[in-house]
Amino acid sequence: MRKILKRIGTALLFLIVAICLAPTLVPPFLDRIYYEGPRSDHFDGKRFFNPGPAPEAGSHSGPARFANRWLGADGRAAWPEHVPVRPTVPPPRVTGGDMFVTWIGHATVLVQTQGLNILTDPIWSDRASPFSFVGPRRVRAPGVRFEQLPKIDLVLISHNHYDHMDLPTLERLWRRDRPAIITSLGNDTILRNRGVEAAALDWGGRRRVGPAEVIVERNHHWGSRWGTDRNRALWSAFTVKLPGGNIFYAGDTGWGDGSWVAEAARTGPFRLAIIPIGAYEPRDFMKTNHVNPEEGVRIFEALKPARALGVHWGTFQLTFEPIGDPPARLAALKRQRGIASAAFVATEAGRSFAVPAIGTDAAKPALAR
């Protein structure tokens, strides 16, 4: 019975994916409206869209073909059931100009600096899915146990996909810490329906949180949680302006035409960039959704941060590449392009590193327990 339910759940999950990618197939009663406002260069009055040239023909089509390939394991790498993780216990606060960074897993990063504890796209759930019994399962435990997570002051939510907007985690954080939550337009409606308050801003919007100023930045993606709510809410990257150099979090993004990267570079200088490097195969299907390590390096070279962390890999199997392919390709690219080993890292979950302030001759950041 359990296997039958799992197969049914998997079929339902892929049906949702297909519906999200082909919303004309969906009955209107599944629609959701998260935002209403004036038209803009990325909102047509009903749905958000990526400015610039349309995707190449076929690059965002074929959800049924992708689902068939996935279910048939056609070219999909086998991932381990479990990857050992040694969780760390971060300090309660990092004051002054020091900066301490911990990859917790997937796109969840804890950044501690200036007395602020900042989290990106927090997910502690076992599955990135609307269902508790089926969907992408976590193979790497969080690098920090939730109970040992310090009080969080600021949460950045890039968009509403389940692996980035994890409502059970956000509800726990809200009940415990009441952090400032900043996201892009429409996502606050989803959160408010679960009793979680958030500030939702358009691209270019700014909000002050203590010593930080958060800027919602353009990137290249899409949003949906169920059916025809595709692109009813906006997706984004973020710049966090701070003394000693800014933080850039790219969110979940494809390269698109690259113009968003040039826009983001203008909000530097960057002390730290958090850049996705995983969930990119098969490339014919994923290239409009997710950057690969090569494009991640292009983002790094455009932003010129003092340090960068590669994320969005090795936690939930969302796509076809082997679990260790993203950091291996990143390491090869760094050798080819003469990038210092410590300048752009892909750490193990639960490992932390210090980032020196821009303009200082501080000791090189050492990966540490």
Side-chain angles (χ1 to χ4, degrees):
M1 179 60 70
R2 186 176 179 181
K3 287 184 177 180
I4 292 172
L5 288 174
K6 187 173 181 179
R7 288 180 180 177
I8 292 171
T10 301
L12 285 171
L13 189 62
F14 276 109
L15 177 62
I16 291 169
V17 171
I19 282 171
C20 290
L21 296 176
T24 57
L25 301 177
V26 184
F29 70 85
L30 288 179
D31 198 1
R32 301 289 186 274
I33 296 175
Y34 303 136
Y35 171 78
E36 294 179 292
R39 294 171 181 263
S40 72
D41 66 350
H42 54 280
F43 182 65
D44 65 8
K46 294 183 178 180
R47 301 180 194 275
F48 295 93
F49 58 92
N50 293 298
E56 297 175 22
S59 63
H60 201 65
S61 62
R65 180 166 55 88
F66 178 84
N68 287 335
R69 289 170 68 180
W70 181 277
L71 293 171
D74 179 13
R76 175 163 56 93
W79 277 34
E81 290 287 320
H82 174 71
V83 176
V85 172
R86 291 170 54 195
T88 192
V89 180
R93 298 276 173 191
V94 174
T95 57
D98 292 340
M99 180 179 285
F100 202 59
V101 181
T102 307
W103 184 50
I104 291 170
H106 199 53
T108 307
V109 180
L110 173 66
V111 182
Q112 299 178 278
T113 188
Q114 300 290 335
L116 283 178
N117 290 329
I118 304 168
L119 266 183
T120 63
D121 286 345
I123 178 169
W124 265 260
S125 291
D126 290 333
R127 292 190 185 272
S129 171
F131 306 114
S132 62
F133 59 92
V134 72
R137 185 180 58 81
R138 183 184 286 273
V139 301
R140 269 183 167 85
V144 177
R145 295 186 179 95
F146 189 89
E147 296 75 15
Q148 295 174 322
L149 188 68
K151 184 179 187 297
I152 300 302
D153 306 294
L154 172 60
V155 177
L156 306 176
I157 302 175
S158 63
H159 65 301
N160 61 23
H161 287 161
Y162 289 92
D163 56 322
H164 293 260
M165 180 188 282
D166 181 45
L167 292 176
T169 295
L170 289 164
E171 288 174 325
R172 291 176 74 186
L173 278 170
W174 181 253
R175 287 195 301 267
R176 195 191 74 167
D177 296 343
R178 289 294 196 271
I181 300 175
I182 298 181
T183 186
S184 39
L185 293 176
N187 294 310
D188 57 326
T189 301
I190 301 167
L191 293 166
R192 196 169 294 115
N193 287 339
R194 298 290 286 265
V196 177
E197 292 299 319
L201 306 175
D202 202 354
W203 291 338
R206 296 171 180 247
R207 181 64 58 96
R208 169 90 34 196
V209 179
E213 183 182 32
V214 180
I215 306 173
V216 176
E217 302 271 17
R218 177 164 77 99
N219 63 0
H220 187 94
H221 202 54
W222 59 288
S224 183
R225 290 183 72 83
W226 193 272
T228 54
D229 70 345
R230 177 179 169 85
N231 296 348
R232 290 291 200 182
L234 186 58
W235 48 94
S236 65
F238 299 91
T239 292
V240 182
K241 299 188 74 172
L242 286 161
N246 300 340
I247 301 166
F248 181 75
Y249 171 47
D252 200 356
T253 186
W255 179 262
D257 64 2
S259 60
W260 66 269
V261 183
E263 289 180 17
R266 294 198 286 268
T267 58
F270 294 107
R271 184 176 182 177
L272 172 69
I274 302 169
I275 301 171
I277 60 170
Y280 48 80
E281 295 289 355
R283 205 73 198 125
D284 61 342
F285 185 80
M286 297 307 302
K287 64 183 177 180
T288 61
N289 304 314
H290 296 151
V291 295
N292 59 16
E294 288 78 8
E295 291 163 332
V297 167
R298 290 174 69 186
I299 295 171
F300 169 84
E301 292 177 333
L303 299 181
K304 298 180 175 60
R307 298 288 184 269
L309 173 65
V311 299
H312 205 262
W313 67 275
T315 308
F316 300 97
Q317 186 173 17
L318 306 174
T319 49
F320 282 35
E321 73 271 7
I323 190 169
D325 200 46
R329 285 172 65 169
L330 176 61
L333 287 161
K334 289 191 294 185
R335 291 191 296 269
Q336 293 168 12
R337 302 185 72 84
I339 298 170
S341 177
F344 191 174
V345 298
T347 71
E348 182 51 78
R351 298 191 71 185
S352 305
F353 60 96
V355 181
I358 292 175
T360 67
D361 293 324
K364 292 181 180 179
L367 294 177
R369 291 301 305 165

